[in-house]
Amino acid sequence: MPSFHDRKAVGDAHELRVAQELTARGWDVASWGQAVRTDAVGRALRGTDSLSRWTPDLIAARGERIALVDCKGGTTSRSTGRHSVERNAVMAHLQLTAWTRLPVIYVFDDLGVLTPMDILLRGRRGSRKDVWCTGCPLQAGCDGPREGASSGLPLPWSNDQQQ
């Protein structure tokens, strides 16, 4: 199993890629939450059950649209293409959405996008009881969420001009 530092390096690279992809599509992106905490604060939070440990990595805005972005690098199965997200993260992000009135989105290695509600409604328990997996990858022919899916959120990969 990769070490925390190995997983963090993968996550940091993915976060940079997501920020670049959003910027290329006209979004203004800033680090937020986990991305701006010191290592000592992160370690201390991991030892608690505080929902603050699950804050998304980025905040992005385009015109009047804002999204909290949690970058999920290295969480996609190479054999099945399914994405996995810890249950505690999903539950914390549902509450964060209610509290901030801002959408939280997960962006995976393949730049597939899901919301916490998408995972709650379409996901299933993974092989570990603390992880939910989506039913399929977000690829051509998949009935996974897309622009206008059940979440109703305008996803950042859309090139629409609505603001």
Side-chain angles (χ1 to χ4, degrees):
M1 176 177 227
S3 72
F4 170 77
H5 293 293
D6 293 338
R7 292 189 314 270
K8 183 162 178 12
V10 169
D12 289 347
H14 181 58
E15 185 178 313
L16 177 62
R17 178 180 177 217
V18 169
Q20 291 170 339
E21 292 285 346
L22 284 165
T23 300
R25 288 165 172 80
W27 289 77
D28 187 50
V29 181
S31 294
W32 193 73
Q34 294 182 51
V36 297
R37 290 198 296 241
T38 65
D39 288 340
V41 170
R43 277 191 306 277
L45 276 172
R46 280 192 298 278
T48 72
D49 63 356
S50 171
L51 297 181
S52 295
R53 63 185 291 216
W54 303 108
T55 52
D57 307 300
L58 304 171
I59 186 166
R62 185 171 74 178
E64 302 276 322
R65 293 167 52 187
I66 300 174
L68 302 173
V69 182
D70 202 28
C71 304
K72 296 294 184 189
T75 64
T76 304
S77 168
R78 291 181 187 174
S79 60
T80 67
R82 293 183 178 136
H83 306 298
S84 62
V85 179
E86 285 191 54
R87 290 182 49 214
N88 287 337
V90 172
M91 300 313 289
H93 293 149
L94 288 168
Q95 293 182 41
L96 183 62
T97 297
W99 176 62
T100 62
R101 298 183 187 182
L102 296 173
V104 174
I105 60 169
Y106 303 116
V107 181
F108 299 94
D109 298 307
D110 63 357
L111 299 182
V113 176
L114 293 171
T115 68
M117 187 59 75
D118 293 326
I119 291 174
L120 183 66
L121 294 175
R122 291 189 172 96
R124 62 179 177 76
R125 284 193 175 208
S127 56
R128 290 179 26 205
K129 67 179 183 177
D130 61 335
V131 174
W132 270 325
C133 296
T134 60
C136 60
L138 297 179
Q139 297 172 350
C142 173
D143 63 355
R146 300 244 186 265
E147 178 76 15
S150 65
S151 64
L153 294 176
L155 301 177
W157 308 135
S158 68
N159 288 320
D160 65 5
Q161 298 303 312
Q162 297 175 5
Q163 302 214 7

